[in-house]
Amino acid sequence: MVGQTRSKLRGAASEPSHFLRSTQSRRRRRATGSGERELEKEPKEEVKRPELPLRTRRGNLTRGARKYSPQRIRNLKTQNCVPVEMVRRTDLLNDRFPFLSSLLEQLSDKAQLLQRRQVSGKGAFGIAAFVAILHWVHLITLFENDRHFSHLSALEREMTFRTEMGLYYSYFKTIVEAPSFLQGLWMIMNDRLTEYPLVINTVKRFHLYPEVILAFCYRTFVGIMNLFGLETKTCWNVTRIEPLNEVQSCEGLGDPACFYVGVIFILNGIMMGLFFMYGAYLSGTQLGGIITVLCYFFNHGEATRVMWTPPLRESFSYPFLVLQMYILTVILRTTNNSRRHFIALCLSNVAFMLPWQFAQFILFTQIASLFPMYVVGYIEPNKFQKIIHANMISVLLCFVFMFGNPMYLSSYYSSSLIITLVIILKRNKIQRFGVSELHFWVIQGSAWFFGTIILKFLTSKILGVSDHIRLSDLIAARILRYTDFDTLIYTCAPEFDFMETATPVRYSKTLLLPIVVVITYVIFKKAFRDILCVLCANTYLRKQLLEHGEIIFHTLQLFAFTPLAILIMRLKLFLTPHMCVMASLICSRRLFGWIFCRVRFMPVILSLVTVMSIQGYANLHNQWSIIGEFNNLPQEELIQWIKYNTRPDAVFAGAMPTMASVKLSTLHPIVNHPHYEDADLRARTKIVYSAYSRKSAKEVRDKLVELHVNYYILEEAWCVVRTKPGCSMLEIWDVEDPSNSANPPLCSVLLKDARPYFTTVFQNSMYRVLKVN
């Protein structure tokens, strides 16, 4: 319905088999259960002390008898006895507060049931579906509150996708608006608008499979709905505050932007269901899965930013990492793995790597966590070899799907896979040297470490991709404190800065950090003791000691994610969710079974959840209270001027975030963009950003002419903005070009008078468009 009118004002928010063993087992469960009620139901015959077997010479037992411990029975009897004081307190609570007593008993019974219940059946899937829908609603609510997205016009929605978000969305828009899907796909695989005058395959360069798949789904959805004559969107005329004009806003999945964002939120909603299944499987109880979900919600602002930046690659990629780690956990825990497990691992690897160029480094940390487990003996060589094969196949598949992108073959990840496979195959030959067990471990570890680094640099030189900036390069720059123009462009951005000192404090307030520290200490203590025993143990005992390797894997992965998040704040999206999964182990009987027999565990868990909820609810309330409305009049004026006052083939240059918006909304050619990993693109951007240096105007003009630039968009804020010391454009250029440090800033000169090398043809409060003479 077009023509209806509604005000752009915020409304209300909607949006074992022997008798003795079995008897003891039942008593033990009752002792840790919900209290007196179960004791009253226990038959008197079960309380009888079983007849002891007759002792023979030197204390040996007759055939078929089992050793018997009177002290153990006394302990169990003590556990089954209810102290008089406890009974009196319970009676007092029942007399004065019968409703509260009944409510507490019901909560304890429910929690005990969840803690005992194994991860299977329709109940677990039902809970997973519920938390998935809950997270989906949470995301769309935050997104709508922040931008009032449903009331924005098509242009305003495009402007909300800043930096690389707008670049990615522009290719989705190209396919959607093309005459056919195949024509749109051809257009983005032969693109001349993004790096004019070069023709590039943007699917290969920018990992655009999510946009290709979403565009195909959108065109299919709209085509089917149109076939049946069903409306897919409703349009309105939205009245905006002066001096903004009235615009048309459309809602529904028929609107491309709404469909694009909606699918992203659905994917990340499903991810929360995966987190529940993941935490429940790792801990062995559904209660552990619920703890994972609660920790994620209570630390939501530290765990994800999909609600603020939906089109980023991590929004598509990270849910598949959760699936991949869940499948890997199943493989590590299961004794006899079927082929389908490794096929699922391979496919989830592919789904994780295809959308995001940094995914390979995260998988490298995974191999770095698995290899020590293989060396010590937590993973059998045959199983580990199959895991490596699955990973290698996934790398080859991505290499093919990405049209032979050499970065997949020259990464630390692919190099570590090759070195690991060689070490597994040469394991027996290394053992023939007759070295001790500890020396054998050191030899394998050293071979893996140095072999991976050497092979990585060799493949990078052979394939010619050494000039690409990767996540490992940024980490090395952080550690070595190396700075140049390219690293400063990254590290000066807030998301690539060091972790905030307030982040551990926020983790502690929700008890996430203390719980994970306790769990990690218990795991590390047990693993350290087992590894020391392994060095002098026989084969059978070694196998018994080194069980449950999946828990060790998650601990090592936590040790890998922590320094990454400290060095680069953006990588908190790996650390925080992994801490939430680790928190589920507080309910694991493998780790804390010794506590279960000594204290009533459910009240402890309920107390932890209650304390977590205090700060957790405050964090959620702070998120819900973020109310905003997108409005960027200066950029809207700029885009409208470019649309109606320049030729369609006019070439533009400027700051990377603005260029993404110009390319998206005006479809004009640009020479630089925010995807900064490519060496040629970095060289182009350095030329473009020289307008904010101390170079001469003539030198900058000549370089821009070589790039075929017709118009330069100068932003006054970029002349003076300084996110932190050493991070203004002028300071970055003084590091890169010290020879001109005595000259005046070119930006100030151009703002006063751009002539004779440039001519100002448009200006407003934020932007100036300079025609290159």
Side-chain angles (χ1 to χ4, degrees):
M1 298 173 58
V2 179
Q4 297 188 26
T5 304
R6 61 179 177 184
S7 176
K8 192 179 180 182
L9 299 176
R10 299 297 306 201
S14 55
E15 334 261 340
S17 56
H18 294 279
F19 172 79
L20 177 59
R21 182 182 298 181
S22 60
T23 302
Q24 292 174 352
S25 176
R26 288 192 296 270
R27 291 171 181 166
R28 192 176 296 114
R29 287 196 298 269
R30 293 188 178 96
T32 59
S34 56
E36 303 81 18
R37 183 175 299 179
E38 290 193 4
L39 288 173
E40 292 173 357
K41 295 180 181 180
E42 184 177 3
K44 295 181 179 180
E45 290 76 14
E46 293 186 3
V47 181
K48 282 185 178 182
R49 181 172 177 172
E51 183 178 352
L52 298 180
L54 297 177
R55 289 187 177 271
T56 59
R57 296 172 301 177
R58 300 175 63 88
N60 293 333
L61 300 179
T62 57
R63 182 184 299 270
R66 297 175 58 87
K67 287 187 177 182
Y68 178 81
S69 173
Q71 180 65 37
R72 188 176 182 183
I73 288 297
R74 284 198 295 272
N75 289 340
L76 288 172
K77 290 175 68 177
T78 301
Q79 291 177 5
N80 282 277
C81 293
V82 181
V84 176
E85 294 182 1
M86 183 183 298
V87 175
R88 289 176 179 174
R89 292 175 183 175
T90 305
D91 291 340
L92 183 63
L93 185 63
N94 287 330
D95 292 340
R96 295 187 178 182
F97 307 102
F99 173 76
L100 180 60
S101 176
S102 175
L103 180 62
L104 290 176
E105 287 183 2
Q106 292 178 13
L107 288 174
S108 180
D109 291 343
K110 292 291 185 182
Q112 183 72 20
L113 181 62
L114 286 171
Q115 195 274 333
R116 289 179 178 178
R117 187 176 295 170
Q118 298 300 313
V119 187
S120 60
K122 297 180 179 179
F125 289 103
I127 298 175
F130 172 75
V131 299
I133 295 174
L134 192 64
H135 192 228
W136 172 68
V137 172
H138 181 63
L139 291 176
I140 61 176
T141 301
L142 295 178
F143 183 73
E144 174 65 17
N145 287 348
D146 179 54
R147 306 182 186 186
H148 210 184
F149 196 74
S150 62
H151 285 59
L152 299 181
S153 65
L155 176 59
E156 289 175 313
R157 289 174 179 172
E158 291 177 356
M159 289 192 300
T160 63
F161 300 143
R162 291 196 42 90
T163 66
E164 66 261 44
M165 293 187 292
L167 186 68
Y168 299 139
Y169 180 76
S170 69
Y171 303 111
F172 169 81
K173 177 183 176 182
T174 298
I175 300 178
V176 165
E177 295 181 349
S180 69
F181 171 77
L182 292 180
Q183 283 184 271
L185 182 61
W186 186 91
M187 291 170 64
I188 68 171
M189 292 175 63
N190 298 269
D191 179 85
R192 287 194 63 189
L193 299 180
T194 308
E195 293 182 10
Y196 185 88
L198 303 179
V199 178
I200 61 174
N201 183 347
T202 59
V203 179
K204 176 182 178 180
R205 281 279 302 275
F206 305 141
H207 301 260
L208 295 180
Y209 273 100
E211 280 69 29
V212 172
I213 295 173
L214 285 182
F216 176 80
C217 293
Y218 174 82
R219 296 182 68 108
T220 302
F221 168 75
V222 172
I224 293 175
M225 298 300 285
N226 290 338
L227 182 64
F228 289 98
L230 300 176
E231 292 186 3
T232 59
K233 61 181 179 181
T234 302
C235 296
W236 312 79
N237 292 325
V238 178
T239 302
R240 302 189 296 178
I241 301 174
E242 293 290 343
L244 301 178
N245 298 325
E246 186 177 82
V247 294
Q248 187 181 88
S249 174
C250 296
E251 290 181 278
L253 293 178
D255 181 77
C258 292
F259 183 91
Y260 184 83
V261 171
V263 173
I264 295 174
F265 289 154
I266 290 174
L267 178 62
N268 284 265
I270 295 173
M271 180 189 70
M272 187 57 67
L274 279 175
F275 268 121
F276 168 77
M277 301 296 293
Y278 189 1
Y281 183 81
L282 183 64
S283 64
T285 66
Q286 293 183 9
L287 184 58
I290 293 177
I291 294 294
T292 296
V293 171
L294 289 176
C295 288
Y296 193 98
F297 271 105
F298 293 161
N299 298 273
H300 198 269
E302 310 294 331
T304 182
R305 55 178 184 163
V306 64
M307 58 281 189
W308 317 128
T309 56
L312 290 184
R313 300 300 84 187
E314 63 204 47
S315 303
F316 296 101
S317 186
Y318 185 74
F320 293 102
L321 177 64
V322 179
L323 176 63
Q324 189 265 357
M325 294 188 69
Y326 182 19
I327 295 169
L328 185 58
T329 303
V330 174
I331 292 174
L332 294 176
R333 177 176 292 182
T334 308
T335 303
N336 297 317
N337 299 111
S338 63
R339 182 179 297 178
R340 67 175 182 270
H341 287 144
F342 297 100
I343 294 176
L345 179 66
C346 176
L347 295 179
S348 59
N349 276 347
V350 172
F352 175 51
M353 286 189 290
L354 278 182
W356 198 18
Q357 66 273 19
F358 288 156
Q360 297 176 76
F361 188 79
I362 302 305
L363 291 179
F364 167 68
T365 66
Q366 193 175 98
I367 300 301
S369 301
L370 290 171
F371 186 79
M373 296 172 57
Y374 156 75
V375 171
V376 174
Y378 280 105
I379 309 177
E380 298 176 357
N382 185 44
K383 178 185 289 188
F384 192 42
Q385 185 172 344
K386 291 180 180 178
I387 293 174
I388 297 301
H389 285 159
N391 280 267
M392 295 179 76
I393 293 173
S394 64
V395 170
L396 293 176
L397 287 175
C398 289
F399 177 75
V400 172
F401 288 151
M402 294 299 291
F403 308 93
N405 191 329
M407 293 183 65
Y408 285 97
L409 303 182
S410 62
S411 64
Y412 284 104
Y413 173 52
S414 57
S415 299
S416 67
L417 292 175
I418 297 174
I419 296 299
T420 301
L421 184 60
V422 172
I423 292 175
I424 295 174
L425 296 177
K426 301 299 181 180
R427 177 186 178 93
N428 294 331
K429 290 187 177 181
I430 300 175
Q431 286 178 321
R432 292 174 186 173
F433 291 115
V435 297
S436 65
E437 186 78 14
L438 182 59
H439 290 165
F440 183 49
W441 294 355
V442 172
I443 291 173
Q444 292 182 91
S446 301
W448 183 87
F449 180 79
F450 293 106
T452 299
I453 295 177
I454 293 172
L455 184 59
K456 189 270 178 191
F457 283 101
L458 287 177
T459 53
S460 296
K461 291 296 182 181
I462 294 173
L463 297 175
V465 293
S466 57
D467 291 333
H468 283 74
I469 281 190
R470 308 187 187 200
L471 193 58
S472 55
D473 301 320
L474 298 178
I475 295 172
R478 282 290 189 194
I479 297 174
L480 301 176
R481 297 186 178 275
Y482 168 74
T483 58
D484 60 9
F485 184 88
D486 298 325
T487 56
L488 285 172
I489 289 294
Y490 269 110
T491 57
C492 283
E495 60 269 24
F496 286 96
D497 200 354
F498 289 102
M499 177 189 287
E500 297 173 319
T501 56
T503 300
V505 177
R506 290 193 286 264
Y507 288 153
S508 300
K509 288 182 178 180
T510 59
L511 296 187
L512 178 62
L513 183 59
I515 290 174
V516 173
V517 168
V518 170
I519 292 171
T520 304
Y521 170 76
V522 172
I523 295 173
F524 181 79
K525 183 178 178 181
K526 179 183 181 302
F528 183 75
R529 184 177 63 247
D530 290 349
I531 291 173
L532 290 180
C533 293
V534 160
L535 295 175
C536 57
N538 56 44
T539 304
Y540 176 75
L541 182 58
R542 174 179 300 185
K543 185 176 181 181
Q544 297 302 312
L545 288 171
L546 300 180
E547 289 183 340
H548 311 307
E550 73 281 357
I551 296 178
I552 305 299
F553 163 70
H554 284 81
T555 306
L556 293 175
Q557 192 70 73
L558 180 67
F559 290 161
F561 286 157
T562 301
L564 294 181
I566 293 175
L567 293 172
I568 298 178
M569 184 174 62
R570 181 180 182 181
L571 300 185
K572 283 195 302 184
L573 75 97
F574 297 106
L575 175 63
T576 308
H578 195 73
M579 292 174 67
C580 297
V581 174
M582 289 288 290
S584 68
L585 292 172
I586 198 69
C587 303
S588 173
R589 289 185 176 271
R590 296 191 182 102
L591 293 178
F592 299 99
W594 55 278
I595 294 182
F596 294 174
C597 298
R598 289 171 172 81
V599 299
R600 299 184 63 179
F601 194 67
M602 284 306 105
V604 175
I605 293 297
L606 291 176
S607 300
L608 284 174
V609 172
T610 301
V611 176
M612 290 165 56
S613 301
I614 298 174
Q615 183 62 40
Y617 177 77
N619 293 343
L620 289 173
H621 185 269
N622 290 336
Q623 284 192 320
W624 296 331
S625 62
I626 297 175
I627 304 297
E629 186 166 351
F630 179 83
N631 187 355
N632 193 341
L633 180 59
Q635 189 176 89
E636 185 175 340
E637 292 174 344
L638 171 68
I639 290 175
Q640 296 287 12
W641 183 87
I642 294 174
K643 278 185 175 181
Y644 301 114
N645 295 275
T646 61
R647 302 189 317 270
D649 58 346
V651 183
F652 282 79
M656 291 185 288
T658 305
M659 288 302 97
S661 297
V662 170
K663 195 266 176 186
L664 168 61
S665 300
T666 69
L667 298 180
H668 277 65
I670 59 176
V671 299
N672 64 310
H673 53 79
H675 203 272
Y676 199 65
E677 286 74 25
D678 183 71
D680 180 67
L681 191 275
R682 294 200 302 273
R684 285 167 163 257
T685 301
K686 187 180 294 187
I687 293 174
V688 172
Y689 278 21
S690 61
Y692 302 99
S693 69
R694 300 178 187 271
K695 297 179 183 294
S696 66
K698 182 180 185 303
E699 181 181 357
V700 172
R701 191 277 311 267
D702 293 343
K703 291 292 185 179
L704 291 176
V705 170
E706 292 178 8
L707 291 179
H708 304 89
V709 174
N710 301 124
Y711 295 93
Y712 188 92
I713 301 177
L714 186 71
E715 301 182 39
E716 186 174 354
W718 281 63
C719 299
V720 295
V721 68
R722 190 184 191 220
T723 56
K724 60 180 181 179
C727 281
S728 68
M729 285 305 305
L730 203 58
E731 290 172 310
I732 293 175
W733 269 108
D734 286 343
V735 172
E736 179 68 20
D737 186 25
S739 60
N740 289 319
S741 58
N743 297 337
L746 176 60
C747 183
S748 302
V749 173
L750 295 178
L751 287 175
K752 292 179 181 179
D753 188 1
R755 296 174 296 180
Y757 304 105
F758 301 92
T759 301
T760 302
V761 293
F762 170 84
Q763 77 176 78
N764 59 19
S765 61
M766 188 177 296
Y767 302 97
R768 292 197 183 194
V769 179
L770 307 179
K771 190 176 186 301
V772 180
N773 294 328

